[in-house]
Amino acid sequence: MSGTTAIRAAALVTMTALAAACQSTEEPAAEPTAAPSATAVPSATAPPAATATPSPVTAANTAAVCAAVDKLIIAKSKEIAADSAAATRRQLTPEQINDQVKADLADLADDVRGQAARAEDPEIKALVGDAARRIEAGANSSAPVKWLGSSFVEIPQRLTRECRA
């Protein structure tokens, strides 16, 4: 893959992931959550999922953790896209681009792991922790730009579906 192709692929993938993270399959909530975000996050007053019903304290923490993870993924996706555009201007090699993407993914994995540690609901802790592990796998991948297109895009979609109070 040439440097320009890798850059374009990284930008396309991150923007796709960003768009996927912003789309919700849920109907809009009647009221905003206690921690509003730029993306659709079901409110703490939404009906509970078919799984175990979290306590009100956990539900509030879950909404905050899910919103924080969503914001982290969106911000890092934007950063990767901006870095990809800058890499074109600087004419970075594919190896340099891969190193840059690896560093961005490692930072994101650390940030998401921090949110998993905050989660009070064990299911949300496990879900967010799994997302961090998957992102870390991308950071450790020999082809992180390719990983973005094949695996990263699934992470925000899964979180949008499952990370809610």
Side-chain angles (χ1 to χ4, degrees):
M1 181 181 295
S2 74
T4 303
T5 304
I7 294 166
R8 287 184 181 143
L12 178 61
V13 167
T14 55
M15 294 315 293
T16 301
L18 177 62
C22 292
Q23 295 176 356
S24 174
T25 57
E26 301 292 316
E27 296 209 12
E31 298 178 31
T33 62
S37 80
T39 61
V41 175
S43 79
T45 61
T51 60
T53 304
S55 69
V57 171
T58 303
N61 174 264
T62 295
V65 167
C66 292
V69 170
D70 192 37
K71 286 179 183 179
L72 288 169
I73 289 174
I74 290 170
K76 191 55 75 172
S77 295
K78 287 179 180 180
E79 183 180 330
I80 291 170
D83 288 348
S84 296
T88 301
R89 290 188 298 275
R90 296 188 329 231
Q91 299 181 354
L92 297 181
T93 66
E95 293 79 21
Q96 290 170 314
I97 295 167
N98 278 335
D99 289 345
Q100 187 173 315
V101 172
K102 284 182 177 195
D104 286 340
L105 290 173
D107 289 346
L108 178 58
D110 288 343
D111 292 343
V112 172
R113 195 173 296 108
Q115 292 303 315
R118 279 186 52 215
E120 295 172 10
D121 183 317
E123 289 181 25
I124 297 303
K125 183 182 286 287
L127 176 69
V128 175
D130 181 61
R133 282 186 294 281
R134 289 174 183 235
I135 295 166
E136 186 71 34
N140 294 328
S141 168
S142 62
V145 172
K146 183 177 178 181
W147 179 88
L148 282 170
S150 63
S151 299
F152 180 70
V153 295
E154 297 168 1
I155 295 169
Q157 292 170 350
R158 180 175 180 217
L159 289 170
T160 296
R161 279 191 318 269
E162 299 177 26
C163 194
R164 59 191 148 163

